[in-house]
Amino acid sequence: MKKIYFLLFLFSLLASISLHAQENILIKGSVLDKETGERLVGVSIVLDGKPPKSLTNTNANGDFTAKVPVNSTLILKYLGYRDFRQVVTAGQTNFTIKLASSAREMNEVVIRGYVARQKEETTGSSVSISGKEIRDIPAASAEDLLQGKVAGLNIQVNTGAPGFRGSVSIRGVSTLSISGSGENAFLSPTSPLYIIDGVPIDADGSTEYGYNSNSGISPLSMIPPEDIQTIEVLKDAQATSLYGSRGAYGVIIITTRKGNSKAPRIRYDTKFFLTDVPKLKETLGGQAERQARLNQIRKFGSEYGGFPESVINTLPALSDSLNPYFNNSTNWQGVFNKSTFNQTHNLGIDGGDDTFNYKTNLKWYNEKGIIANTGQDVYSLNMNMAYKPSKKFNVFFNVLTGLGKRNAGGGNGIFQNGVAENSNASSLLPGPSLFQSTTAVQSVFSIKNDNATKNLRANGEFSFMPIEGLRFTSTGSYEYIRNTEDTFTPSSASIIAGQNWSKLLSYFDRRAILYNRNAINFSKTINYDHSFNILLFNEISKRSFQANYMLNVGTANDYIWGPLGSSTMYSRGGGTLDNYVNVNTAAFSAFFSYNYKKKYILDLSYRLDGSSVSGFDDPYSKNPTIGLRWNYNKEKIFENANWLSSGSIRATWGRNVSPTGDIYTLYGTYSPSGNYVGSPSIGNDFGYVPNNTLKPTTNTTYNLAFDFGFLQDRFTLTYETYLKTVSNLLWDLELPTTAGFIKVKSDDASVVNYGHEANLNIRPLSAKSKVNLAFNINAALNRDVITQLPGGVTQVLQGEGTIASRVGRNAFSNYTIVTDGVYSTNADVPVDPITGLPYRNGNSAFFQEGDPRWVDINGDYILDDNDKQITGNLQPRLTGGLNTTIGYKGFSLLLTGVFTVKRTINNRVLADRLKSAGDIYGSRALLPIDELNYWKNPGDVAKFANPYDYIRYSRISPFRENQSLFLEDGSYFKLNTATFGYTFKKDFVKRLNVNSVRLYLSAYNIFTASPYSGSNPETVTPLGYDKSGGYPVARKYSIGFNIEL
Amino acid sequence: MKKYTALLLLVLIVQSSCKKFLEVESLHRISGNNYWKSKADVEAFTVDLYAKFRNKLTQTSFIPATGDLRTGYIKFTSTVNANTVGEVSRRIVYDYIARNDLKRVVGNYVWNTDLTSGGIFYPSMKFNSITVWTEFYQVIQGANILIDQIEKGVPGLSPADEGQYRGEAAFIRSLAYFMMVRIYGDVPYYTEPYIKDAMGRENMVSVVNKCIADVEKYKESLPVAYGDPAFRAVRATKGAALTLQMHMNMWNAGFDKAKAAAYYSAAADLGQKLLDLKAYELIPISSFSAVMLGRSPEGIFEFNQSINYEPQPNPIAFFGEMVLKFPNKGPGSDNNSSHAYIKPAYLSKIYGTGVDLRKDLWFNSQTMLAGSGSFEFLKFKGDIVSGATGLYGVPEWGLIIFRYADALLLRAEALAELNKDTEALEMLNMVRARAGAGSASETGQQLKDVIFMERNRELLGDGCLYFDLIRTGRILDSQWTDNPLTQAQFNDGGWTWPIDNGALLNNPLMKLNSYWQ
């Protein structure tokens, strides 16, 4: 009976449910990250409907409860994750929902141009990266970890020096300007603009780039990767337009975490990592070196270069083998390169809810360089707080303090030439010790170099929404950066004016940026169909910079550094440097967006950018853009096409104008020059003739993009193609002497970049599958073409004639003599039929068998500068990355690879290596070159001339660097990172009274596959020179531990 | 609606204050838009033009090398001066100039060890700077900019100021062109500011005519004299402008022979105007060293670099440095003999045996015809500047460009060419009277020759005799020079200086002087 009653009861219950389908039931659930199992706090639970209704958020444990109608649909929304739809049926009231990350999808909210919008409503080109993707690798700067994540963002980690930035560029070459010369030539940096928590940050400060100066650490290294919520990379002019001139080279927006937990939460993340020295050069040591040298001299010595035995007698290292000073076998590379053990700790505390939340993040990062006496320490404290007393008000504060310390040792900037030179020293020399070592070696170890950056940034934002849709926002920030460098060179390592005098260099600079932005934003949707968004804002900034240095010599001893005062006896100059900056900028911006049912979208924007250095008559440059988007998947014909989850076509045009001239360019400079007959005289500075018709550099970008998403976005593909014209590039043109002025800043050069970018995401398994599998492939093909050069010329040479830029070709090519093997026999050397003389090297020697066969381009039977040819391309043609994520239960595996295809590298290391063989008089190590195909006997068909023939070496320098012999393809694929993590089960963790525990292992810079014969095709200068003095990128193995209380 | 009006107003206010916000005055450099705000700016800019011009002329022995050494009458002394660095300071380079071997003079010598004559000269003498005209064009650009700015208007300038500064600018640029014409021949000519285009060389007669017209246009507003006595003769005056025009007319008369009469008569008229100014006088020969010191009542235009205001100028810029020794130069070991002497034959010829106080006062009768390092040319004798010692222990000199005696003789020459012998003699005898020499009374060609000889006597060492040889054509006749040219050499530009190869850079329209190629 009871059973019957029960059945009846049940039946009636069911009946009632079916009758009253709208009846609410109480459900419970918890939300987890699908890959890591991490509990997600603050996930919005929304009830689907028209309009959707927000129900609740998950609490600090990632749990939620809600009352919902049966058969309704819940949508779980969380930043950085795919929306999850859960149908609530009567039978199920307890849910465990796993959200999959969605870094690249359409319904994500992105903050662009200081307005939050849904990504499917934006027209410009942008890519988002979730902070999760990069947080497990120990890196000083998050920037390095973006490598291979974004199509078109070309990051080359070209130095392993701790604290120095690699080169970063978006969509190809934007400048033709090269500083320095030869292998020290580098491209003027055109880094993207960084917006960190709503505030623009200069990443290219003159000293931060680190080529010329030791001091300064990139401000980006102050942002701990663990604290990053999202990174958004904006590529085309439409997306970057609202950032004005400074956004001309792209914009990277970094948003740090916000507090989001009812109960205070503590996150602790630590990594212990080992940096490993990459493979070093092979060298001959000790007796092997001596014997090889002796044999070489005996074989190739001749009466012209001195008879062999007499040559040997002039070289004590070879002849005096019993002298303890020369009786060594020192592994110099081992002396300078060492594996190091390092650690980083990150502690985050956050809490609060929508009304009030806070976050504090503390970081300590310590990395000792793999080269002796180098390393980096970063301490940072990042705090923010948001308060929303009512729906109308919103207050946000953020404070970042950072201290970065870096030790560049005896090196200068990213180059460690001292180490390179010393590690090439002959193994016969004694290793470093107080008494037996050269000044050069001492300098590597004993220079005390301390570069510190102190960074303080505070920003605040107030917003007020008097009526729904209308919002006033005011943002302000102040940033102060102070860089110092103290370098003490002890007397044992420095020779000044023939004396062992110690040297103390003290450098300091300060940079201050005051920034304010006031915005009015109005958005309105009429009849659900027509949405408008209008944004007006103005922006002002004051920037100042000043640097000073002093150099004293001759301290009392190597332990007392000073003070020495300013006596001319000790002072070797100093004072305020002339790179003083005091610039005010002001900008006005208007943005209008309209969409019809989120189907047709039109974006218009306009920005006026003014700067105090761009001239007073009309200081404003104008940046207009237009963007169109058609979300065709929302059209009627696709209504039932379930396979198509998203689809759109975007087209944008934008112009980004950056004034290049300053008031000095426009109006000239006047300088005092003493006096004449007692009157002070001031006259023109004749360095540059004023050019008041100078046009600002104009970046015009057309972007066409197609987005596809299939099968609930299991496959998404974005294809973009662009045409970027950089015109009116600044160029120094020399003037005829009749002008009096020496140069003019002209605006005649222009470069066009065009290319294709594709980004494919594949999640082969359904969202409900237990295994999470995601692949991402992105690639960017870029071609750069010079369309115009200054003064109407067709070719210009830079970097002491080694780099050519020619109209119609890629921006930078090598300009070298062309090598075509080696003269096999004397009969192969061409003979001038008119004079009867063989082909010769300048006026120094006739070529003979065993010499390089250099092509005589102009046919005059003389090899000289006129025989140089354009070869190669110094910029990568194709770059991209592969990312794989695999997750199962608590396990996760993340792999990233990056590739660069078609790029010419100038292998100066190989040239040095071959030269070392012929340089018997220098005290360089002898590197084994047996595996190289070099000419030995007449009749040999070889690639290289005989490197041991030291007589020819001095007469024709067969291994001069600037020849096509040393140009190689620098394509590479690098397995960049691998992370294997495990998140402990919740039950287990609960017992420990913590929320979650995660352990992971990661590796960085794992291996590089490349046809390049040198050690690493990536650690070359931005212009493709592989120098011996480069700093190798360490391989890092780390073990990490992440706990959340 | 009110709301929107208020918003608009706000935007306008922000806009207008922003304009100010963007005006940041630079603390470390003066930009063009912050200059030209007052009379002081114009004044400072103007004096800078003089200073730049002066600096060009003092880089090396510019005026002696171009104006005197090439006549062939001056020889280096082979007397050994053991100077401080132990080298023999035989300035054999003077002989190269006297032989018109200029390629050697401007060549890229480090040490010239010409064993045949055992001479060494210093690369620091920088004779190659004479071949570089960039600094002249800097002065010209500056003058063009000055005129341009004044025409655009500068606050605080009265019309008289404007006239004066424009006049000075026009004078300076024309003088620069004229000096270039005299050493390079044809030169590019422009008067617009901020010229940066490539430009070919313009026929020098045309350049000089343009300069005459340019000075004519602006000279009326130049003052006859400046209130500040420090500026006497070192700033452009009406008298300086007239003298420059006279010189330019006389130059063209020699090269544009078809119109020679017109040039002579213009020069004579200009000379008359100069006399009418009554601003200049020939000071007594006994105090002649005041003339060479500069800023004397006889000076018409000169450059100044007094140790009272500035560092000591490069001594080798002055002719006096070559032809004086201790005690008229400081007691440096380099100073026990003169570096150069004037050939005795030439001196005997020009001064002859008649009465001439110049002969008595300017030379030591013992050494005048010695033909060795004991020779001294006391015309340049002055007080050694206190504080200047050793090698630099030289008297202070002005860089005399035009002086009254020169102008008088120039007018005499023009009048003689116009066959106005009486008036010519009047001019000539003014100069002779001051020297205590008897009045001349020649006529016709003889008069012309006498006037030329008088220029030799009076202006020897002033830096104009070689140009007299060129413009009068006497360079072709060994009677008047020890460095004669053949007609063919002359036509080919043998009288010019080589032009630095740098002029060819970035300028496809440029051609160098073929004689020196």
Side-chain angles (χ1 to χ4, degrees), chain B residues 317-330:
Chain B
F318 302 91
F319 191 74
E321 192 270 345
M322 305 174 185
V323 289
L324 291 178
K325 65 188 182 73
F326 182 78
N328 294 312
K329 278 165 101 178

Side-chain angles (χ1 to χ4, degrees), chain B residues 60-61 65 93-94 97 105-106 125-131 497:
Chain B
T60 181
S61 316
V93 62
Y94 297 156
I97 299 175
V105 173
V106 303
M125 292 179 87
K126 291 183 184 160
F127 281 101
N128 60 338
S129 73
I130 297 173
T131 67
W497 280 75

Side-chain angles (χ1 to χ4, degrees), chain A residues 164-165 179 186-191 201-219 246 406 412-414 453 481 483 485 507-511 513 543-548 577-581:
Chain A
F164 287 94
R165 294 178 64 207
S179 317
F186 66 89
L187 207 55
S188 298
T190 50
S191 291
I201 303 295
D202 254 331
D204 271 343
S206 55
T207 56
E208 284 135 21
Y209 207 68
Y211 275 94
N212 299 320
S213 163
N214 277 333
S215 68
I217 287 180
S218 160
R246 294 169 71 194
R406 187 174 59 193
N412 172 29
I414 65 166
T453 295
I481 302 170
N483 293 313
E485 175 185 348
Y507 166 92
F508 58 100
D509 67 38
R510 59 184 152 82
R511 179 188 301 273
I513 302 149
R543 282 187 285 153
S544 62
F545 173 82
Q546 188 178 315
N548 309 274
L577 301 179
D578 65 353
N579 50 1
Y580 170 93
V581 172

Side-chain angles (χ1 to χ4, degrees), chain A residues 156-471:
Chain A
Q156 300 288 336
V157 183
N158 50 20
T159 172
F164 287 94
R165 294 178 64 207
S167 73
V168 180
S169 66
I170 290 181
R171 290 187 167 173
V173 179
S174 298
T175 176
L176 285 178
S177 130
I178 289 178
S179 317
S181 61
E183 58 183 11
N184 291 322
F186 66 89
L187 207 55
S188 298
T190 50
S191 291
L193 170 72
Y194 286 82
I195 307 284
I196 298 174
D197 284 331
V199 180
I201 303 295
D202 254 331
D204 271 343
S206 55
T207 56
E208 284 135 21
Y209 207 68
Y211 275 94
N212 299 320
S213 163
N214 277 333
S215 68
I217 287 180
S218 160
L220 298 169
S221 62
M222 299 291 174
I223 314 289
E226 295 89 348
D227 194 34
I228 291 174
Q229 184 81 43
T230 56
I231 297 176
E232 169 103 3
V233 181
L234 311 184
K235 296 188 287 191
D236 71 341
Q238 202 286 326
T240 62
S241 64
L242 289 178
Y243 299 96
S245 312
R246 294 169 71 194
Y249 308 125
V251 177
I252 296 182
I253 302 168
I254 296 177
T255 312
T256 61
R257 289 189 185 220
K258 306 271 180 314
N260 199 347
S261 162
K262 277 244 164 61
R265 183 167 56 159
I266 299 173
R267 265 197 316 259
Y268 173 69
D269 191 286
T270 181
K271 300 177 186 82
F272 294 92
F273 59 104
L274 184 79
T275 58
D276 189 19
V277 183
K279 188 167 172 283
L280 300 170
K281 292 185 288 248
E282 283 177 24
T283 49
L284 294 178
Q287 191 62 6
E289 178 182 340
R290 179 174 290 118
Q291 282 312 324
R293 280 286 187 219
L294 290 173
N295 290 340
Q296 174 189 2
I297 294 170
R298 288 189 179 121
K299 183 166 179 196
F300 295 103
S302 70
E303 56 190 307
Y304 303 111
F307 288 103
E309 295 308 322
S310 64
V311 169
I312 291 166
N313 284 337
T314 62
L315 300 168
L318 300 183
S319 53
D320 196 1
S321 67
L322 300 179
N323 184 336
Y325 189 83
F326 297 119
N327 191 4
N328 297 288
S329 182
T330 309
N331 177 7
W332 284 106
Q333 296 181 81
V335 164
F336 297 110
N337 297 283
K338 293 256 161 49
S339 293
T340 63
F341 182 68
N342 310 281
Q343 53 192 310
T344 170
H345 302 271
N346 194 76
L347 180 70
I349 302 170
D350 74 316
D353 52 21
D354 240 18
T355 317
F356 178 79
N357 61 57
Y358 58 91
K359 180 212 71 180
T360 301
N361 192 83
L362 270 161
K363 176 199 183 179
W364 175 46
Y365 179 86
N366 166 260
E367 183 183 345
K368 294 180 278 291
I370 51 171
I371 287 185
N373 204 6
T374 63
Q376 184 190 13
D377 266 306
V378 176
Y379 306 86
S380 80
L381 173 62
N382 193 1
M383 296 196 280
N384 66 37
M385 185 276 282
Y387 179 47
K388 204 175 186 181
S390 77
K391 266 201 141 179
K392 291 187 171 179
F393 286 98
N394 202 343
V395 185
F396 173 76
F397 286 107
N398 186 62
V399 178
L400 176 131
T401 55
L403 167 65
K405 286 165 77 70
R406 187 174 59 193
N407 179 7
N412 172 29
I414 65 166
F415 296 125
Q416 292 282 336
N417 290 322
V419 169
E421 197 182 303
N422 291 313
S423 57
N424 281 337
S426 166
S427 69
L428 299 172
L429 296 170
S433 66
L434 184 58
F435 302 108
Q436 289 191 316
S437 161
T438 60
T439 339
V441 173
Q442 281 295 325
S443 71
V444 173
F445 290 101
S446 59
I447 285 178
K448 299 212 167 32
N449 172 249
D450 180 12
N451 305 292
T453 295
K454 285 134 198 156
N455 191 352
L456 173 66
R457 182 167 68 240
N459 57 300
E461 184 174 297
F462 303 85
S463 75
F464 172 56
M465 190 162 68
I467 51 168
E468 183 70 35
L470 178 67
R471 183 186 288 276

Side-chain angles (χ1 to χ4, degrees), chain B residues 395-439:
Chain B
E396 191 163 281
W397 296 292
L399 216 48
I400 311 299
I401 306 298
F402 303 135
R403 63 184 171 101
Y404 196 42
D406 166 34
L408 291 174
L409 290 175
L410 210 56
R411 179 155 191 263
E413 189 185 330
L415 290 166
E417 293 287 349
L418 295 166
N419 300 319
K420 296 181 178 170
D421 289 0
T422 329
E423 289 169 74
L425 279 169
E426 190 190 331
M427 293 293 116
L428 172 64
N429 286 331
M430 279 169 79
V431 177
R432 285 186 66 79
R434 191 259 299 259
S439 297

Side-chain angles (χ1 to χ4, degrees), chain A residues 580 584-585 612 616-617 664 667-670 673 675-677 680-684 686 690 734 737-740, chain B residues 19 21-22 26-33 35-36 44-45 47-48 50 133 137-138 141 190 194 304 310 503 506:
Chain A
Y580 170 93
N584 289 1
T585 64
S612 61
F616 295 166
D617 292 343
Y664 308 110
Y667 305 105
T669 312
Y670 289 72
S673 55
N675 66 64
Y676 183 70
V677 199
S681 68
I682 300 175
N684 288 97
F686 284 96
E734 301 236 340
T737 52
T738 52
Chain B
K19 181 98 181 161
F21 178 73
L22 291 182
S26 172
L27 296 180
H28 68 307
R29 280 201 281 176
I30 311 168
S31 64
N33 55 338
Y35 204 72
W36 306 110
F45 188 86
V47 300
D48 186 64
Y50 291 103
W133 61 26
Y137 280 104
Q138 290 182 343
Q141 282 273 21
Y190 60 89
Y194 307 118
N304 180 286
E310 289 179 74
N506 311 305

Side-chain angles (χ1 to χ4, degrees), chain A residues 467 470 472 520 536 538 540-542 578-588 608 610-613 615-620 662-664 667-673 675-686 689-693 734-742 744, chain B residues 3 7 11 14-15 18-19 21-36 41 43-48 50-52 54 133-134 137-139 141-142 145 149 188 190 194-199 230-231 234-235 295 302-305 309-310 502-503 505-507 510:
Chain A
I467 51 168
L470 178 67
F472 295 89
I520 305 166
L536 297 169
N538 79 320
I540 57 170
S541 79
K542 280 177 84 72
D578 65 353
N579 50 1
Y580 170 93
V581 172
N582 184 16
V583 178
N584 289 1
T585 64
F588 300 92
L608 290 168
S611 159
S612 61
V613 290
F616 295 166
D617 292 343
D618 182 14
Y620 292 101
D662 52 27
I663 46 175
Y664 308 110
Y667 305 105
T669 312
Y670 289 72
S671 46
S673 55
N675 66 64
Y676 183 70
V677 199
S679 306
S681 68
I682 300 175
N684 288 97
D685 198 339
F686 284 96
V689 64
N691 183 359
N692 50 16
T693 58
E734 301 236 340
L735 293 176
T737 52
T738 52
F741 291 92
I742 310 299
V744 62
Chain B
K3 245 191 213 165
L7 206 71
V11 167
V14 169
Q15 268 277 15
C18 252
K19 181 98 181 161
F21 178 73
L22 291 182
E23 289 179 18
V24 176
E25 284 208 10
S26 172
L27 296 180
H28 68 307
R29 280 201 281 176
I30 311 168
S31 64
N33 55 338
N34 282 330
Y35 204 72
W36 306 110
D41 287 351
E43 174 70 16
F45 188 86
T46 309
V47 300
D48 186 64
Y50 291 103
K52 284 207 160 72
R54 188 261 329 267
W133 61 26
T134 312
Y137 280 104
Q138 290 182 343
V139 170
Q141 282 273 21
I145 290 167
Q149 288 292 345
Y190 60 89
Y194 307 118
I195 286 295
K196 50 181 183 279
D197 311 319
M199 215 177 266
F231 291 160
V234 300
R235 295 279 292 264
R295 296 192 285 185
E302 54 206 43
F303 291 101
N304 180 286
Q305 185 168 356
Y309 316 119
E310 289 179 74
L505 293 177
N506 311 305
N507 192 347
M510 183 57 56

